[in-house]
Amino acid sequence: MSELPNENLSITKNWQQQLAGAFSNIEDLCRYLSLSYKDLPVSVAATKNFPLRVPLSFADCMEKGNPDDPLLRQVLPINDELTNYPGFNNDPVGDLASAAITGVLHKYHGRVLLINTGSCAINCRYCFRRNFPYADLQLSKQAETEAIRYIQDHLDISEVILSGGDPLLLSDERLSKLLQQLNTIEHIKRIRIHSRLPIVLPARINLEFINTLKLCTKTMILVVHCNHANEISTEVSSAFLQLKANGISVFNQSVLLQGVNDNAAVLCDLSEKLFSHGVIPYYLHLLDKATGTGHFEVTESTATALIAEMQVLLPGYLVPKLVKEMAGGTSKQALF
Ligand SMILES: *Cc1c(COP(=O)(O)O)cnc(C)c1O
Ligand code: SF4
């Protein structure tokens, strides 16, 4: 797939340089988007524990001069984050209690989730791990050895999910070592990667990465996280095509967010655009109730009404499953 634009990108900045150059300052981002900092309800206090972080490739998908841009709303720290909403707390999905050993979440039958890194390429303001010491849970090299042993010892685990933070922030070298180790475990059938990088930093999907995945003979699945059709730029399209051409199944999960995608037409557009790139809509998550995210909430009844509308407008395979995560649950809970 060497005709794809990654060739062109190599003469600009590689993904690590793009990551290092991400916006980390509200004023810079506003200026870039031709928005007046003073006219927006931005909050520097909200960035204290969870800084602004936005790669340029994601900012480029926003509409300049639009303070209500649905992509901007996902990343701009605003005053609403400081409001306390009842029922919102710091560990809404109970991950702290359920870590089997450091970096290993074994909540569901047959699947184990590895927290490979605590950080992300972008800081989504609605994120459930925004107040959460994920960095403490992540796998150090030594903990990684223990995690591998845990997986080897549990014969009922058939799928390993690399998650985080964002596992694609690991270097290809680190990834390839991990994949090669997992590859030797016979009872593992599938390896799944949960990542937002193909969307927010599509330069990450380059030839070296594809070759790294090919080191692994297990079935590879990539689950991306895209909330709005505007996030699918030409570069993101190319990344999808490259993945598809290399036999990797790609699914998408979204979070239902007030002011971003809480609208049937927006959700239908997203499903259509994903599928036109070979990506299957998988989950639409209700917001996890993390402190600082209450203003993003869409009620359960609105959510089920939206899915019912989608069901009328789209073929069944384009309607994502509406789910909610329950602390202590044995699976995500389907709501529709
Ligand atoms: C969401 C999740 C999974 C994956 O669930 P699927 O329904 O298989 O997508 C696995 N483990 C944990 C801890 C999760 O939160
Ligand atoms: S990419 Fe995912 S894990 Fe990372 S900040 Fe966004 S929602 Fe949270």
Side-chain angles (χ1 to χ4, degrees), residues 120 122 124 126-127 129 196 225:
C120 290
I122 188 164
C124 311
Y126 54 84
C127 183
R129 45 164 278 283
R196 189 143 158 75
H225 169 184

Side-chain angles (χ1 to χ4, degrees), residues 105 107-108 111 113 161 192 282-283 325 332:
L105 292 179
K107 291 208 279 194
Y108 301 164
R111 290 147 290 169
L113 194 145
I161 304 172
R192 187 191 327 178
Y282 180 37
Y283 279 151
E325 179 116 12
K332 314 230 184 281

Side-chain angles (χ1 to χ4, degrees), residues 38-313:
K38 289 189 198 71
D39 299 340
L40 293 165
V42 295
S43 167
V44 175
T47 63
K48 205 168 141 232
N49 297 317
F50 192 59
L52 173 107
R53 192 173 209 197
V54 187
L56 180 61
S57 45
F58 191 75
D60 274 338
C61 296
M62 298 174 190
E63 187 194 354
K64 294 216 166 159
N66 179 5
D68 300 321
D69 183 273
L71 278 54
L72 178 63
R73 182 164 166 82
Q74 295 177 51
V75 296
L76 189 70
I78 57 172
N79 291 324
D80 285 349
E81 293 179 28
L82 305 174
T83 305
N84 273 324
Y85 288 81
F88 283 67
N89 64 65
N90 286 345
D91 184 17
V93 298
D95 276 355
L96 276 181
S98 63
I101 54 173
T102 306
V104 178
L105 292 179
H106 192 184
K107 291 208 279 194
Y108 301 164
H109 176 77
R111 290 147 290 169
V112 72
L113 194 145
L114 298 186
I115 298 173
N116 297 91
T117 161
S119 53
C120 290
I122 188 164
N123 280 344
C124 311
R125 306 315 298 179
Y126 54 84
C127 183
F128 73 98
R129 45 164 278 283
R130 56 175 292 153
N131 327 295
F132 185 99
Y134 253 73
D136 297 350
L137 273 191
Q138 72 181 307
L139 287 174
S140 61
K141 285 209 176 124
Q142 190 208 328
E144 193 170 293
T145 310
E146 281 165 39
I148 299 285
R149 191 164 312 132
Y150 180 91
I151 296 165
Q152 280 166 340
D153 289 347
H154 288 77
L155 300 180
D156 59 323
I157 298 175
S158 54
E159 177 164 357
V160 176
I161 304 172
L162 310 185
S163 185
D166 202 309
L168 292 195
L169 284 186
L170 297 180
S171 65
D172 287 328
E173 193 194 348
R174 220 21 239 279
L175 268 181
S176 82
K177 282 193 184 134
L178 181 59
L179 290 175
Q180 280 171 329
Q181 279 178 287
L182 294 173
N183 208 30
T184 63
I185 306 176
E186 212 172 316
H187 55 273
I188 298 304
K189 302 280 177 279
R190 297 175 301 280
I191 297 181
R192 187 191 327 178
I193 299 179
H194 279 183
S195 174
R196 189 143 158 75
L197 261 77
I199 309 297
V200 301
L201 200 70
R204 179 68 184 92
I205 309 303
N206 56 21
L207 211 55
E208 295 90 83
F209 171 69
I210 299 282
N211 288 336
T212 302
L213 293 191
K214 283 186 172 164
L215 294 171
C216 190
T217 56
K218 311 287 186 189
T219 302
M220 292 296 308
I221 299 148
L222 183 60
V223 181
V224 299
H225 169 184
C226 179
N227 297 320
H228 193 287
N230 291 0
E231 294 170 37
I232 305 171
S233 63
T234 315
E235 269 183 277
V236 172
S237 299
S238 308
F240 284 155
L241 293 176
Q242 198 168 5
L243 290 162
K244 193 174 152 72
N246 285 281
I248 296 153
S249 303
V250 187
F251 296 90
N252 180 60
Q253 48 186 348
S254 311
V255 182
L256 184 58
L257 299 165
Q258 196 274 317
V260 174
N261 57 10
D262 56 336
N263 171 297
V266 166
L267 290 170
C268 288
D269 273 357
L270 174 60
S271 277
E272 297 266 13
K273 196 158 176 187
L274 286 166
F275 193 73
S276 72
H277 294 91
V279 181
I280 313 280
Y282 180 37
Y283 279 151
L284 177 63
H285 293 266
L286 277 197
L287 183 73
D288 293 322
K289 299 191 175 198
T291 309
T293 68
H295 56 292
F296 283 115
E297 195 183 18
V298 177
T299 63
E300 240 176 87
S301 57
T302 305
T304 46
L306 279 170
I307 290 286
E309 253 187 276
M310 286 182 86
Q311 194 111 47
V312 172
L313 298 167

